[in-house]
Amino acid sequence: MDGSNSGLLWHVAPEHVPALVVPLVLPLAIWLFLKLARHVAAGSNGLTRRFMDGYDASSSTTRVAAVLMLLTATIHLALVPTHAQDDPQLAKLFAINGALFIAAAIAVFTWRWWRPFAAALLVLTILAYVSYIAKGREDADQIGLATKLIEVLALGLVLAPATTTAAAWVRTLRWTAAGAAVVLMTVLTGGAVWAAQYKQAKDASAMGAMPGMSMPRINTAAGAPAAQQDDPGGMPGGSMHHDEPGMIMQPVPDTPLTPAQVAAANQLAADTAADIAKYQDLSVAIADGYRATTNPKAATVHYLNPKYMHDGKILDPQAPEALVYANTRSGPLLLGAMYVMPKPGEYGPDPGGSITQWHMHDNVCFSAGGMVVGVLSPFGTCPAGSFNAPTAYMMHVWTAGNPNGAFGELNNAWVARLVAQ
Amino acid sequence: MNEHAIARRNDDADRSAIIFVLLLLQAAIGALETLVELALAGAAPIGAAVGLFSAILTVSLIVVAAGVVRGWRWARIAATVFEGLVLTGAGLRLLLRHGTSNGLVWLLTDVALPIAVIDLLWIRFGAARSAWERPVAEQKAGTRVAAPRPIGGSRPAPMV
């Protein structure tokens, strides 16, 4: 996903930026159109007159539905030029979709059966988006999600009864249909985007273990303590981690790794492995003050020690701020340590250059007690009763033989094998 | 029922439909968050508590949405309190996440949507009521009259 990571443009792909700008002229366009249509309708009995009569007699709900459909039409049409070269088929679909939504918006005031037409168009458009996301043909960015929210709102308004003159059973049916459609489409869209985001992260994690990949690796697996570097010059300044949703990497110098940096990283990994060996038994860690900050029954669990958070020591292998365990069938297995900076926003030292790269998470949802209880939904919100706040910068050092290296992304497939043992 | 009364009822139903859909959208997002939260952290006591609270709030929001449609005053108050809490949370988040981005979708769901609901619940409801209930002659003369009572309510709606 190519997106700016700042301000309002967070996760808006560059090719989607026109869709953010063009709708701004929509209110003026609607105002001008209505002025012109009223002027033309005054002296005619044709479609324009029918349109204006329908418009004047329409309710607020139908007008809002028409505006929302025009908005989604504008967004789709604005995306046509930027997609025409890379994905002509998608550009054509956007153009057709935009034209159909304009037709639907006009039909609101001119055609008796506009509701079934608009509802079908909205449902098909949302389902097409979900299908594209699920198949990985489109990245979910802020514009795509915002457009789907607009379409879900429009769908609800199209299905909801707008007048009190309809029969009671018809009104009940319409309210039920509107409510069900809004809930179903929102959950479907959000769920698809969420699943796609985490599938991408999972795939990236699995790729980290692929042979021949140009990533510096430090191997501290039991029985193979010697440090090694597969490709010292392959990824100068590169990241040891993949771009997970909500994960922000601390910048590292864009220079090739030096032997001193590799040695420092090896030393840190070795020291950490040696010094946290005493915590192989989880009860020892708990007795020393470590407390679970993530779900203690999940496959991997983070245990944080509050007294080490503000002890003034950074990168101290004897007192790591957190430990990570895997819940295996034979009990908790120490996977490694996690160093944490005292305050959010503070960068950590990187003695190993790009190997010892720190990261933070800005999509974590905390309970009032500071426990991680979830992650931000694609709609940017946390479950009720929890709140979102950025974490401090942190760095994992895996000491149990992570296939992606001591400082690499934790390999989920490897963890799954450990858990099953 | 005279023409004004029918038009007023239709206008109320009209605004209720928009509020209903907006509240249902929030409930749907809450339902999705609850499901994922329970899957991620439901096994832990704190996670289960948060999940349960989130689930109860989601269901309550659906009931409130239905209540707004039925013209229940308590539902309007509950919706207003809920949206006020969402806006307060959004303000706190801006403080907590100072310097980091929040995103366009968050602005829509946690800022624009609650403002729209409150606006429709109180400001526009009151305005619509005033316009319908104000005698035509007084409207022409620009005379202000006492604020009318909201449907299902016992106190006058704010005059705008």
Side-chain angles (χ1 to χ4, degrees):
Chain A
M1 188 186 303
D2 298 318
S4 166
N5 248 350
S6 63
L8 281 179
L9 294 182
W10 182 60
H11 278 187
V12 172
E15 67 269 23
H16 288 181
V17 172
L20 203 59
V21 180
V22 175
L24 296 176
V25 300
L26 188 63
L28 180 66
I30 291 173
W31 183 77
L32 283 173
F33 174 80
L34 287 175
K35 281 271 176 197
L36 186 68
R38 200 172 289 283
H39 179 72
V40 173
S44 80
N45 286 318
L47 181 67
T48 319
R49 179 62 178 267
R50 209 167 82 205
F51 176 87
M52 284 316 302
D53 287 347
Y55 175 80
D56 290 337
S58 65
S59 62
S60 305
T61 310
T62 48
R63 288 184 193 180
V64 173
V67 169
L68 291 176
M69 285 193 284
L70 278 179
L71 189 56
T72 191
T74 317
I75 291 169
H76 281 98
L77 291 175
L79 295 175
V80 173
T82 50
H83 283 74
Q85 297 244 317
D86 295 341
D87 195 343
Q89 191 196 356
L90 188 60
K92 269 184 207 164
L93 286 174
F94 280 157
I96 293 168
N97 205 244
L100 284 173
F101 272 121
I102 290 174
I106 293 170
V108 167
F109 308 111
T110 54
W111 188 29
R112 190 183 170 192
W113 301 104
W114 69 272
R115 286 183 193 272
F117 172 63
L121 182 60
L122 286 161
V123 169
L124 286 175
T125 304
I126 294 167
L127 291 180
Y129 177 80
V130 169
S131 163
Y132 262 67
I133 291 291
K135 288 178 183 169
R137 292 187 64 182
E138 177 85 357
D139 282 341
D141 75 343
Q142 296 281 301
I143 290 291
L145 269 171
T147 311
K148 291 316 119 185
L149 284 180
I150 291 166
E151 287 163 4
V152 169
L153 279 179
L155 180 62
L157 295 179
V158 166
L159 294 175
T163 64
T164 55
T165 51
W169 72 270
V170 173
R171 289 171 52 74
T172 305
L173 190 69
R174 289 269 296 272
W175 284 121
T176 310
V182 168
V183 173
L184 189 67
M185 288 296 150
T186 307
V187 171
L188 192 65
T189 306
V193 169
W194 222 337
Q197 283 176 347
Y198 281 90
K199 184 178 178 297
Q200 281 178 355
K202 197 176 166 188
D203 291 348
S205 165
M207 277 178 66
M210 285 171 66
M213 187 162 179
S214 303
M215 289 190 75
R217 295 171 67 191
I218 305 287
N219 191 345
T220 57
Q228 63 183 52
Q229 188 181 359
D230 288 356
D231 188 3
M235 230 178 141
S239 165
M240 297 291 292
H241 295 267
H242 294 282
D243 187 19
E244 280 182 22
M247 192 181 197
I248 296 172
M249 307 305 295
Q250 179 179 313
V252 285
D254 192 17
T255 51
L257 287 168
T258 64
Q261 285 174 326
V262 175
N266 281 333
Q267 189 62 49
L268 178 63
D271 288 349
T272 304
D275 289 337
I276 67 169
K278 60 188 174 191
Y279 295 125
Q280 291 288 352
D281 185 347
L282 175 61
S283 60
V284 175
I286 288 173
D288 206 15
Y290 287 93
R291 295 286 177 270
T293 53
T294 58
N295 180 7
K297 293 186 179 169
T300 57
V301 193
H302 285 65
Y303 290 81
L304 192 81
N305 195 330
K307 73 180 176 192
Y308 294 149
M309 278 297 294
H310 302 287
D311 60 359
K313 295 175 185 171
I314 296 168
L315 278 184
D316 180 5
Q318 290 187 328
E321 286 75 18
L323 299 169
V324 186
Y325 288 83
N327 276 326
T328 70
R329 283 184 181 174
S330 49
L333 173 72
L334 181 63
L335 293 178
M338 185 176 84
Y339 295 102
V340 186
M341 292 301 290
K343 282 195 292 188
E346 276 184 5
Y347 284 157
D350 50 359
S354 62
I355 300 172
T356 51
Q357 189 174 15
W358 296 66
H359 70 275
M360 58 150 311
H361 299 273
D362 74 346
N363 68 335
V364 179
C365 299
F366 295 98
S367 71
M371 187 172 169
V372 175
V373 291
V375 289
L376 279 181
S377 75
F379 304 107
T381 49
C382 279
S386 62
F387 65 94
N388 169 246
T391 66
Y393 275 94
M394 59 190 74
M395 180 173 62
H396 292 100
V397 181
W398 306 112
T399 57
N402 176 27
N404 294 344
F407 298 95
E409 183 78 15
L410 186 62
N411 188 297
N412 290 324
W414 174 69
V415 172
R417 285 197 297 276
L418 286 179
V419 168
Q421 284 175 5
Chain B
M1 193 179 286
N2 65 31
E3 194 183 326
H4 274 183
I6 292 170
R8 202 186 84 179
R9 273 190 63 183
N10 282 342
D11 192 68
D12 287 343
D14 218 20
R15 295 182 194 288
S16 299
I18 302 173
I19 297 166
F20 174 80
V21 172
L22 291 174
L23 290 176
L24 258 286
L25 182 66
Q26 283 180 311
I29 293 172
L32 182 66
E33 286 165 352
T34 304
L35 289 174
V36 173
E37 197 277 336
L38 285 173
L40 281 177
I46 296 175
V50 171
L52 188 65
F53 177 68
S54 184
I56 290 170
L57 205 67
T58 300
V59 173
S60 304
L61 206 51
I62 294 171
V63 175
V64 166
V68 169
V69 167
R70 290 185 167 270
W72 294 338
R73 181 175 169 79
W74 69 263
R76 290 175 64 190
I77 293 169
T80 309
V81 170
F82 175 78
E83 301 304 347
L85 286 174
V86 172
L87 284 174
T88 307
L92 287 174
R93 174 165 154 169
L94 282 176
L95 288 175
L96 280 171
R97 288 175 56 107
H98 179 69
T100 61
S101 56
N102 285 292
L104 175 67
V105 174
W106 174 78
L107 269 182
L108 288 177
T109 53
D110 263 17
V111 182
L113 200 154
I115 289 173
V117 171
I118 292 172
D119 177 61
L120 286 163
L121 273 172
W122 296 104
I123 300 169
R124 290 180 198 274
F125 253 118
R129 236 13 90 50
S130 304
W132 285 119
E133 295 198 357
R134 205 178 300 166
V136 175
E138 283 181 356
Q139 284 186 54
K140 282 181 181 170
T143 321
R144 285 175 72 86
V145 293
R149 291 180 171 201
I151 285 179
S154 54
R155 274 188 235 153
M159 195 75 180
V160 288

